[in-house]
Every structure is written in structure tokens, then in C-alpha cells.
């Protein structure tokens, strides 16, 4: 499990309960929040394209505002942070298209990590909407744990769910697998970071959400369990 610690622990527990397999946690990114939010006076609402942004907003004491979110998981995190959240699409591209079709009034801000895709604010501004952006967290690379390296260097098949392009990129940079490796990408953008990586069975989830990832993990496990088990 390569997700950052906050999401990784709960996702690992869910997958372990669902599959009955060992799930080794080895976050490849650590979320580091900014010291403060941008000034929020006069801001009509916020745009959130990750759960990390929603959590950091709450941690930094962000005021009550409407929030337009990517996916229901981000919306739940936004509501927990005191925001009035609605979902517009399952990824940044779908969110932009939805906001182009149904523009927002007033001044909005896209709160994001240092590494983000989609040019959300720039594209909405080009269409005449007043949207700025602010980086409120960074994701710092972490090394794979010894336990993860042992699994990757073993003989048993290893299943690696990858939930973001950055985590996939960082996993590829560090991994030197000898074990049969089955990587499950949350989207085509995630899968693209593994393009050309040798010896990898690459699966793309049918939708960019946790439920689809869980189904893909289970289907992959059922497919490979006859080869000696998987992690």
C-alpha cells in the first residue's frame, strides 16, 4: 500500500479484510501542509481536487464556504472540514467540463498540492470565471520500507494498487521487482507513469474511485491466487 499514511492505513485495513491477504504499508509520499491558507476574505467558494486539500483546509482552520469537489470521497473530507460540498465529476477534467457547462459566480480559489494536473484555475479563468489557485500542501517522497522491498524481491506475486500519478512515478523510480508484479492504476493518467516498465501486469480500474480499485484488486487476486498467493 503506497498511499500516504492517512489514507493508506484505512485502505490497507479494508483490503486486508476483503482479501484475507497480508497488506504491507509503504507510503511513497508524505503530505506536508502549508503554514497557512491564502486570505479567504471575499472568496465565494473553494475548488478541491483531492482529499488532502480538504483535510489541510480543515486542519488550518478554513472558514465555512461552498466547495466544488472531485469525487464523493473528497466531498466527504470537505464536509468533515466544515465545507458545504458538492461533487462535479470524478477527476479534474470532468470537474472542469462541468464548471464550464455550469459556471460559478463570484471569486473562487482552487486549493491544491504542489503537483497537480488539469490546469483547473487557468482553464476556468480563460473561460471568464474568476478562479485563482493556491498551493496548500506538498507531497514529499519517502523510501520504500524494508518490508516492501523484501516482498518485491521475493517469489510470490505482489499486487500494488496505485492511486495517483505521483505515487506511481515514485514507485517506479524506487522499485526493482523480482517478484511477479501486478499494478492496478486508478486511471489512465496513473497507468501512463508505468508505461514501458518491464515485467508488470498493468490493470486500469474501471472508474477513478476507491470502490473500483477494490474490485480490481479482488479480480486480480482471484486471477493470480493459483500461482502461489499474492500480497
Amino acid at each position: 500500500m503506497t498511499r500516504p499514511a492517512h489514507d493508506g492505513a484505512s485502505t490497507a485495513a479494508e483490503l486486508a479484510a476483503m482479501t484475507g491477504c497480508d497488506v504491507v504499508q509503504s507510503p511513497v509520499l508524505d503530505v506536508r501542509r502549508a503554514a497557512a491558507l491564502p486570505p479567504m476574505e471575499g472568496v465565494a467558494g473553494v475548488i478541491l481536487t483531492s482529499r488532502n486539500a480538504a483535510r489541510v483546509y480543515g486542519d488550518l482552520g478554513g472558514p465555512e464556504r461552498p466547495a466544488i469537489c472531485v469525487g464523493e470521497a473528497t466531498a466527504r473530507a470537505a464536509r468533515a472540514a466544515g465545507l458545504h460540498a458538492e461533487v462535479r465529476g470524478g477527476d479534474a477534467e470532468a470537474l472542469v467540463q462541468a464548471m464550464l457547462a455550469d459556471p460559478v459566480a463570484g471569486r473562487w480559489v482552487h486549493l491544491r498540492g504542489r503537483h497537480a494536473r488539469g490546469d483547473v484555475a487557468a482553464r476556468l479563468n480563460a473561460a471568464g470565471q474568476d478562479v485563482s489557485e493556491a498551493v496548500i500542501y506538498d507531497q514529499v517522497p519517502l523510501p520504500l520500507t524494508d518490508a516492501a522491498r523484501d516482498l518485491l524481491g521475493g517469489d510470490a506475486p505482489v499486487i500494488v494498487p496505485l492511486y495517483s500519478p505521483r505515487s506511481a512515478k515514485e514507485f517506479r523510480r524506487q522499485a526493482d521487482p523480482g517478484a511477479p508484479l501486478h499494478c492496478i492504476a486508478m486511471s489512465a493518467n496513473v497507468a501512463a507513469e508505468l508505461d514501458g516498465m518491464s515485467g508488470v501486469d498493468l490493470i486500469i480500474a474501471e472508474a477513478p474511485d476507491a470502490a473500483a480499485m477494490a474490485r480490481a484488486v479482488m479480480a486480480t487476486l482471484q486471477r493470480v491466487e493459483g500461482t502461489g498467493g499474492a500480497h
Side-chain angles (χ1 to χ4, degrees):
M1 176 52 58
T2 60
R3 301 188 87 177
H6 191 288
D7 289 322
S10 58
T11 306
E14 290 166 4
L15 291 178
M18 181 183 72
T19 64
C21 287
D22 297 329
V23 179
V24 171
Q25 295 182 58
S26 181
V28 295
L29 297 170
D30 182 35
V31 176
R32 308 277 177 88
R33 72 188 188 193
L37 292 170
M40 297 298 294
E41 294 80 5
V43 173
V46 299
I47 299 168
L48 302 172
T49 49
S50 75
R51 280 179 287 187
N52 289 326
R55 292 191 190 107
V56 170
Y57 187 86
D59 290 345
L60 293 175
E64 184 178 321
R65 290 287 188 280
I68 294 174
C69 303
V70 163
E72 185 54 43
T74 300
R76 285 196 298 270
R79 293 177 191 119
L83 292 159
H84 303 290
E86 66 169 296
V87 176
R88 294 202 189 182
D91 58 21
E93 181 60 31
L95 179 142
V96 168
Q97 293 304 319
M99 293 187 68
L100 291 174
D102 184 14
V104 293
R107 183 160 64 89
W108 288 64
V109 59
H110 177 207
L111 301 175
R112 64 175 184 84
R114 186 167 301 281
H115 304 273
R117 292 171 177 252
D119 295 325
V120 171
R123 292 169 65 188
L124 294 173
N125 261 300
Q129 299 184 52
D130 187 359
V131 179
S132 61
E133 65 180 5
V135 173
I136 61 170
Y137 69 93
D138 197 359
Q139 289 181 301
V140 180
L142 294 174
L144 289 169
T145 64
D146 290 343
R149 291 189 182 280
D150 287 345
L151 282 181
L152 292 169
D155 298 322
V158 179
I159 297 173
V160 183
L162 295 164
Y163 292 79
S164 74
R166 279 213 71 215
S167 61
K169 183 176 182 177
E170 189 60 30
F171 175 78
R172 178 176 184 168
R173 185 182 72 81
Q174 295 191 48
D176 184 20
L181 187 60
H182 305 269
C183 290
I184 299 172
M186 194 170 195
S187 69
N189 285 335
V190 177
E193 296 294 344
L194 302 181
D195 188 41
M197 187 175 179
S198 62
V200 176
D201 172 36
L202 180 59
I203 303 101
I204 301 176
E206 61 188 14
D209 57 44
M213 287 292 284
R215 289 193 297 271
V217 168
M218 199 67 203
T220 302
L221 177 62
Q222 290 171 349
R223 181 161 54 85
V224 304
E225 60 184 357
T227 66
H231 297 274

